[in-house]
Every structure is written in C-alpha cells, then in structure tokens.
Amino acid sequence: IGIVESPEPIHPQRIRAGDRLLVSGDLGRHGVAMLAARHGLDLQPPLASDCAPLWPAVQALLVAGVRIHCLRDLTRGGLASALQELATAAGLSFQLEEDTIPAAEPVARTCDLLGFDPLHLANEGRFVAVVPPEHLEAARALLEPSSGAVIGSVEAGPAQVRLRTPFGSVRLLLPPSG
C-alpha cells in the first residue's frame, strides 16, 4: 500500500552479527486483552489492548537517522514467531535475555496462571527492530517513551533463537506446535 523511503533497504538480509534487537513496548497485551474479553475474565485492573499504529515510532527512528537493518510487526505469533522468521531469513543466531523482555504485570500474571508465554502472544501495536550497535542508544532514546527495550543481540551461528533465563540457563525458543 506504500513505500517507506529509507537510505538503505530494511530487510532480513541486512541483519548482521553484532546487531541489537529492540522491542517497541511491552508484549502480550493484545493477546491477553482479547482472551479476557472473549472468555469473560475479570482482570483487575482491566487490561487494554496495545492496538496502535506503528508508523509514528518507525518514522521517528528514520527521521533521527537511525539505521534500521530490519523491522517486523509482532501481530500473529508474537515476538517468538517474528524472531524465528528473521533468524531463518538472515541465517543467523539470535540471543535473547529473558529478564529484559517487557511484559506488563497483568499479562505476566495471566500467563503464569493459564500457562501461556507472552513471547507467543499477539500484539497489535508492537514491533521488533534490528539495529547496528552504533545506533542502539539513539533507537532506545526514541523508543523509551513507549517502553522500548533492548532484548538481545545477533550472533554468527545456526539460524535459531536462544533465550537466556534469569537463572543463567539457555533454551531454544521454538515455534508453537499444533
């Protein structure tokens, strides 16, 4: 429906080892808000969906001159699916730090109670950005107002997504089954 004019292509093939992964806000709000609405869950306090346009944040990054190697919305399949797709397309390994991945307290509580993982839940107003390390701080400063967070890095290695837990163990982040 349009073209984003950028000095360099924004594409998975631009992802390089050493790049950093950022999310534009907390995860899982839309998935939990829709689950609560469909099944009559009385979450207290009520949780609103993260539904919002992505363009203002992306435009701010571009106008500020942040080099963006890749962007992906986190709508279907959440962060986990988006990163799986990007790692496969780039042929690189993504290392995530679980304790830096933002999830609102009501989302975290609901996921713990029902056995969901916020990394696999739908988001309607969030994206993951892959930026070179020298543009990390500029990108963070622009995403800070909307709870942007650095969640990991890109490394040479097999196309996979690894998640380092707060306990120091590492597990593969696999796509959902079924």
Side-chain angles (χ1 to χ4, degrees), residues 24-172:
S24 62
D26 60 309
L27 302 178
R29 278 181 180 270
H30 182 73
V32 171
M34 293 301 98
L35 176 78
R38 286 182 186 145
H39 297 286
L41 302 178
D42 185 21
L43 299 180
Q44 293 301 322
L47 184 66
S49 168
D50 61 18
C51 190
L54 300 178
W55 176 242
V58 173
Q59 182 181 31
L61 293 170
L62 293 171
V63 167
V66 172
R67 283 178 52 213
I68 302 169
H69 284 172
C70 196
L71 286 169
R72 189 60 52 98
D73 76 303
L74 305 179
T75 305
R76 301 294 171 248
L79 179 67
S81 291
L83 292 179
Q84 289 288 334
E85 292 171 10
L86 293 178
T88 300
L92 293 166
S93 180
F94 292 2
Q95 176 76 38
L96 304 179
E97 300 297 330
E98 187 174 30
D99 58 352
T100 64
I101 299 172
E105 184 61 33
V107 171
R109 281 195 322 259
T110 303
C111 286
D112 285 346
L113 181 66
L114 300 175
F116 293 123
D117 184 342
L119 300 177
H120 292 281
L121 294 179
N123 302 272
E124 291 292 338
R126 304 290 187 247
F127 63 82
V128 62
V130 184
V131 299
E134 63 270 19
H135 288 257
L136 177 64
E137 290 309 315
R140 282 187 68 201
L142 290 165
L143 295 178
E144 198 86 42
S146 59
S147 304
V150 180
I151 60 166
S153 60
V154 179
E155 301 173 356
Q160 61 184 2
V161 181
R162 295 186 319 261
L163 184 71
R164 185 184 321 277
T165 71
F167 305 108
S169 62
V170 176
R171 68 178 174 97
L172 288 178

Side-chain angles (χ1 to χ4, degrees), residues 6-36:
S6 172
E8 299 173 334
I10 297 174
H11 194 275
Q13 292 176 342
R14 300 264 306 133
I15 299 172
R16 302 285 179 259
D19 283 352
R20 300 294 186 253
L21 306 168
L22 295 96
V23 290
S24 62
D26 60 309
L27 302 178
R29 278 181 180 270
H30 182 73
V32 171
M34 293 301 98
L35 176 78

